[in-house]
Amino acid sequence: MSPSTDAGADVSTGAPASGPSETDGRVVEALRRALPGRVVTDPEVLTACTADRSGHRADAPPLAVVEAREVADVQETCRIASAHGTPIVTRAAGTGLAGGAVAGGGEIVLSTRSMDRILEISPADRLAVVGPGILNGDLNRALAEHGLWWAPDPASRDISTVGGNIAMNAGGLLCAKYGVTREAVLALTVVLADGRVVETGHRTVKGVSGYDLCALLIGSEGTLGIIVEATLRLDPLPEGPPTTIGAFFDSVDDAARAAAAITAAGHRIALMELMDEPTLAAVAEHADQDLLRRGRAHLLVQCDGPGAATLAEAVVAVLRDHGGDVEATDDEQRAAELLALRRAALPALEAQGTLLVEDIAVPRSRLAETFAAIRELEAAHGVTIPTTCHAGDGNLHPTFVVTSEEIPARVWAAAEALFAHALAVGGTLTGEHGIGLLKRAWLPDELGPEQLQLQRGIKAVFDPQGLLNPGKIFAQETA
Ligand SMILES: Cc1cc2nc3c(=O)[nH]c(=O)nc-3n(C[C@H](O)[C@H](O)[C@H](O)COP(=O)(O)OP(=O)(O)OC[C@H]3O[C@@H](n4cnc5c(N)ncnc54)[C@H](O)[C@@H]3O)c2cc1C
């Protein structure tokens, strides 16, 4: 769930509110005839597709779910949908946090989850070609046999798909060194709304012919085309044990300044995660450990690959310079315990109530200032905002814990002020979770009218009938 849900934003998916029409019946019939055995109308399955992990739910179930197995299934679905003017919501594992896979009345759900084949692994070219439905974790288990991995590492990697990661340009813990999903995709094959197949990108490392449509499709949230095949750039698995560093600080300000100093020094750390005092307090309670005795903020850093130990020494020095109580280890068991502290943050907060996880990103030099702004928002709005942060890339997850049935107005007000702060310091509304349904009301604030118009124009070129995931990213135009 996101604060944006109730903040006066129009969150309709664009699906008609009225019951199924005659055309809807004809569409389902046409799908059944063209795709025998692939079309599901079981009410339980349809209801599951009205939600993802954002907390948003559509009012009415979609018409049908097409469980695509082949590219031809996707093409056929698109041809039928465009002939009838019926919207398509592409859905993979449904773990999205922005409402992107939410489908409502009058819409077809196109599930890519069964298109999960590994078509090629080429150690020579350091690439893999896969279907979009493969889970990130399954792919990486297969790649490990070749000493390779696909770097995008959302915390959901065991439950989310490669296609979903690409459609959302997912991030994760290792982005500071290995980049977001965009850096790890070479080529995409997509089916357009009218059923045409388009191949974008290259198998080569370089390639600059024409506009980079492959890059445009990454993060397009299912609104421009349906990804049916992906060529992924692979990395060799890092050599040797990583060095893991945990540091407690007296204040989040010290921790944030230490993180910024590590970045400014150019240290290529793999992971740098910050927890503030309210998060640490929740983890302490959940894990029954007296963590607050050791400090009021925690920074976890990991250095991997050749030279990890030397790099770790430099990082430890920076952390100590900023007042950190530092522990560094290359012992696997102890490293797992340090990582477990950070991993406990979400479950610890979930134990306290319903979570509204926000996702702003700011320039890394503005981290300390952003934590100060969050503390000011807490005081101004009478809320507590425990915040975890991928400090290596300036991506914060300020989190609202709601214990009442209704989400209090002060939470919406604080969230809105948080977005305004992010934009004011040169940041963004969303570092990795996407716009979807839930943040589209604020998108014009970030893009401005000219860019918004260009972006709507791009959508119209790819999908002139507006059938692919309508109402996502952009609010429906009323005029
Ligand atoms: C516990 C948890 C932890 C998470 N941690 C992270 C994290 O660390 N970093 C992060 O970035 N996200 C995280 N997420 C969010 C989510 O897992 C990611 O956004 C993920 O990439 C979504 O993948 P999915 O397969 O579930 O896609 P879905 O939720 O099914 O779909 C997401 C969007 O992609 C579109 N889409 C899916 N497949 C295709 C396709 N083949 N072609 C075109 N469009 C498509 C859909 O229409 C929708 O708009 C987390 C979620 C959970 C529940």
Side-chain angles (χ1 to χ4, degrees):
M1 200 182 298
S2 154
S4 348
T5 309
D6 239 9
D10 165 18
V11 292
S12 71
T13 61
S18 53
S21 68
E22 237 176 75
T23 315
D24 293 345
R26 280 203 297 275
V27 170
V28 176
E29 211 25 62
L31 289 171
R32 278 193 205 290
R33 265 200 312 275
L35 298 157
R38 304 273 202 267
V39 181
V40 181
T41 52
D42 173 351
E44 257 183 54
V45 175
L46 298 185
T47 302
C49 293
T50 60
D52 58 4
R53 296 288 285 271
S54 64
H56 184 71
R57 187 173 282 283
D59 294 339
L63 296 176
V65 177
V66 176
E67 291 180 342
R69 287 179 194 280
E70 311 292 338
V71 176
D73 298 342
V74 178
Q75 290 184 275
E76 195 55 39
T77 306
C78 289
R79 285 190 202 109
I80 291 170
S82 56
H84 292 84
T86 305
I88 297 176
V89 177
T90 306
R91 185 180 182 89
T95 69
L97 294 169
V102 166
E107 297 182 324
I108 299 168
V109 174
L110 179 72
S111 170
T112 52
R113 185 63 189 86
S114 301
M115 299 177 76
D116 60 355
R117 279 179 298 216
I118 297 177
L119 303 166
E120 179 186 353
I121 295 175
S122 169
D125 284 330
R126 289 236 189 109
L127 61 79
V129 182
V130 302
I134 188 167
L135 294 180
N136 178 318
D138 287 347
L139 172 64
N140 274 309
R141 276 183 280 281
L143 293 174
E145 291 172 23
H146 302 268
L148 296 167
W149 67 308
W150 190 52
D153 70 322
S156 56
R157 60 188 175 274
D158 284 325
I159 53 170
S160 67
T161 67
V162 166
N165 295 166
I166 295 171
M168 300 311 291
N169 193 15
L173 265 55
L174 301 174
C175 301
K177 182 169 178 183
Y178 295 101
V180 294
T181 301
R182 172 170 291 120
E183 272 82 48
V185 178
L186 291 171
L188 292 174
T189 303
V190 292
V191 173
L192 300 180
D194 59 9
R196 280 176 297 160
V197 176
V198 176
E199 290 182 11
T200 68
H202 309 85
R203 262 179 84 97
T204 49
V205 173
K206 289 178 171 175
V208 292
S209 315
Y211 297 132
D212 190 348
L213 296 187
C214 181
L216 183 59
L217 287 157
I218 299 166
S220 64
E221 304 191 18
T223 62
L224 297 183
I226 298 160
I227 300 158
V228 289
E229 193 176 293
T231 303
L232 308 174
R233 187 181 64 73
L234 307 179
D235 284 308
L237 280 167
E239 280 170 35
T243 302
T244 305
I245 304 162
F248 284 91
F249 292 85
D250 287 342
S251 72
V252 73
D253 188 63
D254 290 343
R257 287 183 196 286
I262 288 170
T263 301
H267 296 317
R268 293 208 66 220
I269 43 94
L271 167 162
M272 183 153 65
E273 292 293 307
L274 197 161
M275 289 192 283
D276 69 353
E277 184 175 348
T279 311
L280 211 48
V283 173
E285 196 184 328
H286 195 65
D288 198 20
Q289 290 185 37
D290 191 6
L291 299 173
L292 293 179
R293 188 181 49 81
R294 300 196 55 194
R296 302 284 148 173
H298 185 263
L299 201 56
L300 177 78
V301 184
Q302 202 165 59
C303 307
D304 69 358
T310 313
L311 176 58
E313 278 173 27
V315 167
V316 166
V318 176
L319 295 174
R320 291 209 168 112
D321 278 353
H322 286 78
D325 169 8
V326 186
E327 171 190 359
T329 182
D330 55 13
D331 176 72
E332 211 177 312
Q333 171 64 27
R334 184 60 193 141
E337 286 166 14
L338 291 174
L339 281 164
L341 269 190
R342 168 62 182 85
R343 293 221 169 92
L346 191 64
L349 294 170
E350 274 173 342
Q352 299 184 348
T354 304
L355 302 188
L356 317 175
V357 183
E358 272 312 333
D359 176 43
I360 57 168
V362 299
R364 290 169 288 186
S365 60
R366 314 292 292 257
L367 269 181
E369 186 185 333
T370 298
F371 275 103
I374 290 170
R375 299 288 88 93
E376 280 167 26
L377 289 178
E378 287 180 324
H381 297 279
V383 290
T384 310
I385 315 177
T387 300
T388 55
C389 171
H390 307 306
D393 42 56
N395 183 194
L396 299 98
H397 294 310
T399 301
F400 298 89
V401 184
V402 177
T403 50
S404 51
E405 191 68 22
E406 289 287 306
I407 294 162
R410 59 181 186 277
V411 167
W412 305 132
E416 191 140 36
L418 185 68
F419 299 156
H421 167 84
L423 297 183
V425 298
T428 175
L429 295 169
T430 172
E432 56 184 21
H433 295 167
I435 295 288
L437 283 174
L438 301 181
K439 281 193 178 155
R440 62 189 188 178
W442 288 273
L443 189 65
D445 296 345
E446 179 165 342
L447 298 187
E450 288 80 14
Q451 202 194 153
L452 189 66
Q453 194 187 2
L454 269 176
Q455 293 211 9
R456 281 188 183 279
I458 289 168
K459 163 74 177 162
V461 168
F462 273 78
D463 176 20
Q465 285 179 275
L467 297 181
L468 294 182
N469 229 354
K472 313 292 167 54
I473 303 183
F474 309 109
Q476 299 281 80
E477 277 180 309
T478 44

